[in-house]
mmCIF file of all heavy atoms in Angstrom:
data_model
loop_
_atom_site.group_PDB
_atom_site.id
_atom_site.type_symbol
_atom_site.label_atom_id
_atom_site.label_comp_id
_atom_site.label_asym_id
_atom_site.label_seq_id
_atom_site.Cartn_x
_atom_site.Cartn_y
_atom_site.Cartn_z
ATOM 1 N N GLY A 1 98.724 95.311 110.434
ATOM 2 C CA GLY A 1 98.546 95.866 109.100
ATOM 3 C C GLY A 1 97.077 96.016 108.743
ATOM 4 O O GLY A 1 96.195 96.039 109.610
ATOM 5 N N THR A 2 96.805 96.097 107.445
ATOM 6 C CA THR A 2 95.443 96.232 106.926
ATOM 7 C C THR A 2 95.006 94.926 106.294
ATOM 8 O O THR A 2 95.768 94.312 105.542
ATOM 9 C CB THR A 2 95.368 97.355 105.874
ATOM 10 O OG1 THR A 2 95.759 98.594 106.482
ATOM 11 C CG2 THR A 2 93.955 97.498 105.321
ATOM 12 N N TYR A 3 93.797 94.502 106.605
ATOM 13 C CA TYR A 3 93.266 93.244 106.094
ATOM 14 C C TYR A 3 91.939 93.496 105.393
ATOM 15 O O TYR A 3 91.181 94.384 105.779
ATOM 16 C CB TYR A 3 93.035 92.246 107.238
ATOM 17 C CG TYR A 3 94.266 91.843 107.983
ATOM 18 C CD1 TYR A 3 94.800 92.658 108.974
ATOM 19 C CD2 TYR A 3 94.895 90.634 107.722
ATOM 20 C CE1 TYR A 3 95.934 92.294 109.675
ATOM 21 C CE2 TYR A 3 96.020 90.251 108.415
ATOM 22 C CZ TYR A 3 96.541 91.089 109.395
ATOM 23 O OH TYR A 3 97.672 90.724 110.083
ATOM 24 N N ARG A 4 91.664 92.681 104.372
ATOM 25 C CA ARG A 4 90.381 92.739 103.685
ATOM 26 C C ARG A 4 89.837 91.324 103.583
ATOM 27 O O ARG A 4 90.494 90.438 103.033
ATOM 28 C CB ARG A 4 90.532 93.370 102.298
ATOM 29 C CG ARG A 4 91.013 94.800 102.346
ATOM 30 C CD ARG A 4 91.313 95.368 100.972
ATOM 31 N NE ARG A 4 90.106 95.615 100.215
ATOM 32 C CZ ARG A 4 89.738 94.929 99.140
ATOM 33 N NH1 ARG A 4 90.470 93.914 98.708
ATOM 34 N NH2 ARG A 4 88.636 95.230 98.493
ATOM 35 N N PHE A 5 88.631 91.103 104.123
ATOM 36 C CA PHE A 5 88.042 89.766 104.164
ATOM 37 C C PHE A 5 86.757 89.725 103.349
ATOM 38 O O PHE A 5 85.890 90.591 103.513
ATOM 39 C CB PHE A 5 87.708 89.363 105.600
ATOM 40 C CG PHE A 5 88.887 89.231 106.500
ATOM 41 C CD1 PHE A 5 89.349 90.319 107.222
ATOM 42 C CD2 PHE A 5 89.550 88.018 106.633
ATOM 43 C CE1 PHE A 5 90.442 90.206 108.060
ATOM 44 C CE2 PHE A 5 90.634 87.892 107.462
ATOM 45 C CZ PHE A 5 91.091 88.987 108.181
ATOM 46 N N PRO A 6 86.584 88.723 102.497
ATOM 47 C CA PRO A 6 85.272 88.524 101.867
ATOM 48 C C PRO A 6 84.229 88.248 102.945
ATOM 49 O O PRO A 6 84.495 87.487 103.895
ATOM 50 C CB PRO A 6 85.491 87.291 100.980
ATOM 51 C CG PRO A 6 86.967 87.214 100.769
ATOM 52 C CD PRO A 6 87.583 87.750 102.035
ATOM 53 N N LEU A 7 83.064 88.855 102.843
ATOM 54 C CA LEU A 7 82.031 88.634 103.853
ATOM 55 C C LEU A 7 81.677 87.160 103.991
ATOM 56 O O LEU A 7 81.376 86.683 105.080
ATOM 57 C CB LEU A 7 80.777 89.438 103.500
ATOM 58 C CG LEU A 7 80.914 90.965 103.468
ATOM 59 C CD1 LEU A 7 79.550 91.606 103.224
ATOM 60 C CD2 LEU A 7 81.548 91.504 104.737
ATOM 61 N N LYS A 8 81.731 86.431 102.891
ATOM 62 C CA LYS A 8 81.365 85.022 102.916
ATOM 63 C C LYS A 8 82.334 84.177 103.735
ATOM 64 O O LYS A 8 81.998 83.046 104.112
ATOM 65 C CB LYS A 8 81.284 84.468 101.493
ATOM 66 C CG LYS A 8 82.586 84.502 100.725
ATOM 67 C CD LYS A 8 82.408 84.005 99.307
ATOM 68 C CE LYS A 8 83.699 84.100 98.499
ATOM 69 N NZ LYS A 8 84.813 83.334 99.084
ATOM 70 N N ASP A 9 83.527 84.694 104.038
ATOM 71 C CA ASP A 9 84.507 83.939 104.816
ATOM 72 C C ASP A 9 84.457 84.255 106.304
ATOM 73 O O ASP A 9 85.141 83.615 107.105
ATOM 74 C CB ASP A 9 85.926 84.228 104.307
ATOM 75 C CG ASP A 9 86.182 83.637 102.928
ATOM 76 O OD1 ASP A 9 85.385 82.788 102.497
ATOM 77 O OD2 ASP A 9 87.177 84.025 102.293
ATOM 78 N N ILE A 10 83.672 85.253 106.692
ATOM 79 C CA ILE A 10 83.597 85.656 108.101
ATOM 80 C C ILE A 10 82.541 84.818 108.816
ATOM 81 O O ILE A 10 81.413 84.679 108.340
ATOM 82 C CB ILE A 10 83.249 87.153 108.226
ATOM 83 C CG1 ILE A 10 84.298 87.997 107.515
ATOM 84 C CG2 ILE A 10 83.139 87.561 109.698
ATOM 85 C CD1 ILE A 10 83.930 89.467 107.404
ATOM 86 N N LEU A 11 82.895 84.245 109.967
ATOM 87 C CA LEU A 11 81.955 83.455 110.761
ATOM 88 C C LEU A 11 81.153 84.342 111.700
ATOM 89 O O LEU A 11 79.932 84.326 111.685
ATOM 90 C CB LEU A 11 82.708 82.386 111.552
ATOM 91 C CG LEU A 11 83.529 81.380 110.732
ATOM 92 C CD1 LEU A 11 84.262 80.421 111.659
ATOM 93 C CD2 LEU A 11 82.632 80.614 109.771
ATOM 94 N N TRP A 12 81.857 85.093 112.527
ATOM 95 C CA TRP A 12 81.183 86.019 113.440
ATOM 96 C C TRP A 12 82.184 87.056 113.945
ATOM 97 O O TRP A 12 83.394 86.952 113.734
ATOM 98 C CB TRP A 12 80.533 85.281 114.616
ATOM 99 C CG TRP A 12 81.468 84.630 115.607
ATOM 100 C CD1 TRP A 12 82.093 85.226 116.672
ATOM 101 C CD2 TRP A 12 81.873 83.254 115.637
ATOM 102 N NE1 TRP A 12 82.857 84.312 117.363
ATOM 103 C CE2 TRP A 12 82.734 83.095 116.745
ATOM 104 C CE3 TRP A 12 81.588 82.152 114.840
ATOM 105 C CZ2 TRP A 12 83.325 81.868 117.077
ATOM 106 C CZ3 TRP A 12 82.174 80.939 115.161
ATOM 107 C CH2 TRP A 12 83.030 80.800 116.259
ATOM 108 N N PHE A 13 81.659 88.070 114.634
ATOM 109 C CA PHE A 13 82.450 89.065 115.343
ATOM 110 C C PHE A 13 82.083 88.973 116.820
ATOM 111 O O PHE A 13 80.937 88.666 117.164
ATOM 112 C CB PHE A 13 82.127 90.486 114.872
ATOM 113 C CG PHE A 13 82.480 90.788 113.447
ATOM 114 C CD1 PHE A 13 81.616 90.443 112.418
ATOM 115 C CD2 PHE A 13 83.665 91.454 113.131
ATOM 116 C CE1 PHE A 13 81.920 90.746 111.097
ATOM 117 C CE2 PHE A 13 83.975 91.757 111.816
ATOM 118 C CZ PHE A 13 83.113 91.405 110.802
ATOM 119 N N TYR A 14 83.042 89.248 117.686
ATOM 120 C CA TYR A 14 82.685 89.391 119.098
ATOM 121 C C TYR A 14 83.497 90.532 119.706
ATOM 122 O O TYR A 14 84.584 90.873 119.235
ATOM 123 C CB TYR A 14 82.888 88.089 119.879
ATOM 124 C CG TYR A 14 84.309 87.627 120.094
ATOM 125 C CD1 TYR A 14 85.038 88.019 121.224
ATOM 126 C CD2 TYR A 14 84.914 86.763 119.181
ATOM 127 C CE1 TYR A 14 86.332 87.564 121.433
ATOM 128 C CE2 TYR A 14 86.208 86.299 119.388
ATOM 129 C CZ TYR A 14 86.912 86.701 120.515
ATOM 130 O OH TYR A 14 88.205 86.247 120.714
ATOM 131 N N SER A 15 82.925 91.148 120.704
ATOM 132 C CA SER A 15 83.580 92.273 121.358
ATOM 133 C C SER A 15 84.342 91.807 122.589
ATOM 134 O O SER A 15 83.928 90.876 123.284
ATOM 135 C CB SER A 15 82.551 93.342 121.747
ATOM 136 O OG SER A 15 81.611 92.805 122.676
ATOM 137 N N ASP A 16 85.461 92.471 122.832
ATOM 138 C CA ASP A 16 86.299 92.166 123.992
ATOM 139 C C ASP A 16 86.882 93.482 124.495
ATOM 140 O O ASP A 16 87.854 93.986 123.947
ATOM 141 C CB ASP A 16 87.414 91.198 123.588
ATOM 142 C CG ASP A 16 88.344 90.864 124.752
ATOM 143 O OD1 ASP A 16 87.936 91.088 125.908
ATOM 144 O OD2 ASP A 16 89.468 90.397 124.493
ATOM 145 N N ARG A 17 86.221 94.047 125.500
ATOM 146 C CA ARG A 17 86.591 95.348 126.032
ATOM 147 C C ARG A 17 86.487 96.406 124.926
ATOM 148 O O ARG A 17 85.419 96.624 124.397
ATOM 149 C CB ARG A 17 87.984 95.292 126.661
ATOM 150 C CG ARG A 17 88.071 94.284 127.813
ATOM 151 C CD ARG A 17 89.462 94.217 128.397
ATOM 152 N NE ARG A 17 89.518 93.259 129.489
ATOM 153 C CZ ARG A 17 89.771 91.968 129.323
ATOM 154 N NH1 ARG A 17 90.001 91.473 128.112
ATOM 155 N NH2 ARG A 17 89.788 91.145 130.366
ATOM 156 N N ARG A 18 87.602 97.042 124.562
ATOM 157 C CA ARG A 18 87.538 98.086 123.539
ATOM 158 C C ARG A 18 87.808 97.552 122.141
ATOM 159 O O ARG A 18 87.867 98.324 121.184
ATOM 160 C CB ARG A 18 88.553 99.190 123.859
ATOM 161 C CG ARG A 18 88.226 99.982 125.122
ATOM 162 C CD ARG A 18 89.187 101.143 125.284
ATOM 163 N NE ARG A 18 90.566 100.672 125.385
ATOM 164 C CZ ARG A 18 91.622 101.351 124.969
ATOM 165 N NH1 ARG A 18 91.463 102.520 124.373
ATOM 166 N NH2 ARG A 18 92.844 100.866 125.123
ATOM 167 N N ARG A 19 87.947 96.257 122.019
ATOM 168 C CA ARG A 19 88.271 95.667 120.724
ATOM 169 C C ARG A 19 87.107 94.848 120.178
ATOM 170 O O ARG A 19 86.245 94.389 120.923
ATOM 171 C CB ARG A 19 89.497 94.758 120.826
ATOM 172 C CG ARG A 19 90.749 95.436 121.339
ATOM 173 C CD ARG A 19 91.900 94.456 121.306
ATOM 174 N NE ARG A 19 91.571 93.225 122.000
ATOM 175 C CZ ARG A 19 92.275 92.097 121.907
ATOM 176 N NH1 ARG A 19 93.330 92.048 121.128
ATOM 177 N NH2 ARG A 19 91.921 91.020 122.589
ATOM 178 N N VAL A 20 87.129 94.669 118.855
ATOM 179 C CA VAL A 20 86.240 93.727 118.179
ATOM 180 C C VAL A 20 87.140 92.683 117.522
ATOM 181 O O VAL A 20 88.195 93.020 116.980
ATOM 182 C CB VAL A 20 85.370 94.423 117.119
ATOM 183 C CG1 VAL A 20 84.575 93.405 116.310
ATOM 184 C CG2 VAL A 20 84.430 95.421 117.781
ATOM 185 N N ILE A 21 86.739 91.433 117.593
ATOM 186 C CA ILE A 21 87.522 90.353 116.997
ATOM 187 C C ILE A 21 86.718 89.723 115.870
ATOM 188 O O ILE A 21 85.569 89.306 116.067
ATOM 189 C CB ILE A 21 87.916 89.280 118.031
ATOM 190 C CG1 ILE A 21 88.900 89.857 119.055
ATOM 191 C CG2 ILE A 21 88.571 88.083 117.327
ATOM 192 C CD1 ILE A 21 88.307 90.623 120.174
ATOM 193 N N LEU A 22 87.304 89.707 114.681
ATOM 194 C CA LEU A 22 86.711 89.054 113.515
ATOM 195 C C LEU A 22 87.176 87.603 113.506
ATOM 196 O O LEU A 22 88.375 87.322 113.646
ATOM 197 C CB LEU A 22 87.143 89.788 112.248
ATOM 198 C CG LEU A 22 86.646 89.280 110.896
ATOM 199 C CD1 LEU A 22 86.589 90.450 109.895
ATOM 200 C CD2 LEU A 22 87.533 88.179 110.329
ATOM 201 N N VAL A 23 86.248 86.677 113.320
ATOM 202 C CA VAL A 23 86.566 85.245 113.377
ATOM 203 C C VAL A 23 86.324 84.596 112.015
ATOM 204 O O VAL A 23 85.245 84.759 111.421
ATOM 205 C CB VAL A 23 85.703 84.532 114.438
ATOM 206 C CG1 VAL A 23 86.051 83.042 114.503
ATOM 207 C CG2 VAL A 23 85.894 85.180 115.808
ATOM 208 N N THR A 24 87.335 83.887 111.518
ATOM 209 C CA THR A 24 87.206 83.068 110.314
ATOM 210 C C THR A 24 87.650 81.653 110.650
ATOM 211 O O THR A 24 88.109 81.386 111.767
ATOM 212 C CB THR A 24 88.081 83.603 109.159
ATOM 213 O OG1 THR A 24 89.463 83.317 109.442
ATOM 214 C CG2 THR A 24 87.892 85.094 108.972
ATOM 215 N N GLU A 25 87.540 80.757 109.701
ATOM 216 C CA GLU A 25 87.991 79.390 109.932
ATOM 217 C C GLU A 25 89.500 79.322 110.138
ATOM 218 O O GLU A 25 90.005 78.372 110.740
ATOM 219 C CB GLU A 25 87.583 78.498 108.757
ATOM 220 C CG GLU A 25 86.079 78.275 108.648
ATOM 221 C CD GLU A 25 85.714 77.374 107.491
ATOM 222 O OE1 GLU A 25 86.634 77.027 106.707
ATOM 223 O OE2 GLU A 25 84.533 77.010 107.355
ATOM 224 N N LYS A 26 90.216 80.313 109.653
ATOM 225 C CA LYS A 26 91.677 80.298 109.729
ATOM 226 C C LYS A 26 92.244 81.031 110.932
ATOM 227 O O LYS A 26 93.431 80.921 111.222
ATOM 228 C CB LYS A 26 92.267 80.883 108.444
ATOM 229 C CG LYS A 26 91.980 80.034 107.211
ATOM 230 C CD LYS A 26 92.627 80.621 105.987
ATOM 231 C CE LYS A 26 92.374 79.746 104.766
ATOM 232 N NZ LYS A 26 92.989 80.307 103.542
#
């Protein structure tokens, strides 16, 4: 689906092949 994250809750992003993964504490 579609997600919306406050910037303050995002730890980092990392790339994995053709994807990007958004990382939070949850």
Side-chain angles (χ1 to χ4, degrees):
T2 300
Y3 298 81
R4 298 173 72 249
F5 296 90
L7 297 185
K8 63 183 177 59
D9 290 345
I10 301 171
L11 301 178
W12 68 84
F13 295 83
Y14 69 90
S15 62
D16 179 18
R17 300 179 180 88
R18 293 186 300 149
R19 302 184 307 166
V20 173
I21 293 82
L22 180 153
V23 181
T24 73
E25 292 181 354
K26 294 182 178 179

